[in-house]
Amino acid sequence: MKKHRATRAFAAFLLAVSIILSACGGTGQVAKPTDAADLITKSQEAISKAKSSEADLNISMGLGEIGSMEMKGIIEDIKDPLQLHFLFDAKLSGLLAMAGDSMQIESFAEPDPSNSENIITYTRTQMGEEVEWEKSSQSKAEGNMASSAESLSKMAEDVKDSLTLAEATEKIDGKELYVVTGTVKGSALEGTVAESFDVTGGMAEEAEFDFTAKYDAKTLLPHSIDMVMKPIDASSTEEVPEGLEMFGDVEITMNMNVLFKGFDTVKSIEIPQEAKDAPESTTE
């Protein structure tokens, strides 16, 4: 069914983002960076030490007169063995709200106890009074889960020469923060990052993002990440997003904000029994 395919696309997108963010944590004191590239390199060293992390994630997407989507939620992860949990509330408008103007998506991921090479995901979707749990198993390689940290590192390495470290630091809630800014071309986003934006249909290659990241000056742990996509004409992309062909020119916008709440703060992630008892998902 189209509704189920769309819901799974959103869930897959959120899970991909969750996996990416699971690389963004760590502890330790590091030396002052000399420039943006040095900051990224040293931050990755700090990131590798994290055992867990939690963050707030806000995503907004606009499709011109067709409608809009606002998602707000939480993400938490434990790295070894990999466990993920996210909970998102989405508000929809315009034609996107034809099946309902609100939706909640919750998902868990854990290693498959019967196959160490696989990951099991459990996803709950709720639109109105309708609630549905599904579970699925896929290989780590197929899900790009084994290389999510590498994907983030590769993206940072690819774009670090396009970023600038501000001379002055900022202070937020008593913390001194380094600020990095720049424009990131969509074509530079690779692996899991590019795939997460491909939920909109070929945008990763066409888009440009104004990128801002803030890091704790004492530890170089990330404080926040903001990505603002410059508006693009859907008809100008190589692949028009499914369902938009009939509308002609559609201006697509997207913003993403991540606020990191803590590192090594998540001690356990409990998966409800009703999730474990859920039926296997199908490709229908």
Side-chain angles (χ1 to χ4, degrees):
M1 294 177 63
K2 287 186 177 180
K3 180 185 131 182
H4 287 165
R5 286 200 301 269
T7 299
R8 287 172 190 151
F10 282 130
F13 164 64
L14 294 173
L15 183 60
V17 173
S18 303
I19 294 166
I20 294 167
L21 296 180
S22 71
C24 294
T27 57
Q29 185 78 24
V30 291
K32 180 179 178 179
T34 58
D35 54 24
D38 186 42
L39 171 59
I40 290 170
T41 299
K42 290 177 178 177
S43 180
Q44 289 303 106
E45 294 173 359
I47 282 168
S48 67
K49 300 176 183 178
K51 295 181 179 179
S52 68
S53 65
E54 53 185 330
D56 291 335
L57 175 63
N58 296 326
I59 300 172
S60 63
M61 181 184 299
L63 297 174
E65 296 181 358
I66 295 175
S68 64
M69 176 181 66
E70 301 280 342
M71 292 189 293
K72 296 183 178 182
I74 61 169
I75 296 172
E76 55 183 357
D77 75 89
I78 297 174
K79 279 191 175 180
D80 189 18
L82 176 63
Q83 292 179 287
L84 298 169
H85 172 236
F86 69 73
L87 175 63
F88 279 85
D89 288 294
K91 298 295 184 182
L92 310 173
S93 70
L95 296 179
L96 298 180
M98 292 181 65
D101 62 3
S102 65
M103 174 173 61
Q104 187 176 81
I105 302 176
E106 182 174 29
S107 189
F108 297 86
E110 66 173 354
D112 188 336
S114 64
N115 186 339
S116 61
E117 297 301 315
N118 285 6
I119 290 287
I120 299 179
T121 60
Y122 311 87
T123 302
R124 174 179 65 84
T125 58
Q126 180 172 351
M127 298 191 72
E129 299 298 319
E130 183 180 350
V131 180
E132 181 180 32
W133 274 104
E134 290 184 341
K135 68 180 177 182
S136 62
S137 179
Q138 61 181 332
S139 70
K140 294 177 181 178
E142 178 185 359
N144 211 13
M145 295 182 184
S147 60
S148 60
E150 290 82 359
S151 294
L152 181 62
S153 300
K154 183 68 166 61
M155 184 190 74
E157 290 296 321
D158 287 343
V159 302
K160 66 183 181 182
D161 292 332
S162 301
L163 303 177
T164 300
L165 175 63
E167 293 185 8
T169 58
E170 291 186 9
K171 278 199 173 182
I172 298 179
D173 296 330
K175 289 185 177 181
E176 184 180 10
L177 305 174
Y178 293 123
V179 181
V180 170
T181 60
T183 298
V184 178
K185 292 185 177 296
S187 58
L189 304 177
E190 298 187 1
T192 303
V193 179
E195 290 169 9
S196 69
F197 284 106
D198 271 353
V199 71
T200 56
M203 285 204 312
E205 287 295 317
E206 303 294 334
E208 289 187 341
F209 297 87
D210 289 330
F211 177 89
T212 302
K214 298 179 182 181
Y215 298 85
D216 189 311
K218 290 185 177 180
T219 65
L220 299 192
L221 293 173
H223 171 273
S224 60
I225 296 174
D226 287 280
M227 293 181 66
V228 179
M229 189 180 79
K230 296 183 178 181
I232 61 172
D233 181 353
S235 64
S236 70
T237 64
E238 294 183 3
E239 179 183 351
V240 178
E242 182 180 358
L244 300 187
E245 304 93 336
M246 69 183 74
F247 295 103
D249 295 340
V250 175
E251 185 178 77
I252 301 176
T253 60
M254 179 185 289
N255 299 336
M256 183 174 74
N257 167 261
V258 183
L259 179 62
F260 296 93
K261 297 171 61 178
F263 305 96
D264 293 325
T265 53
V266 182
K267 304 305 180 184
S268 65
I269 294 176
E270 301 296 331
I271 301 175
Q273 189 60 43
E274 60 185 326
K276 292 181 176 289
D277 294 337
E280 293 280 349
S281 64
T282 66
T283 58
E284 297 298 325

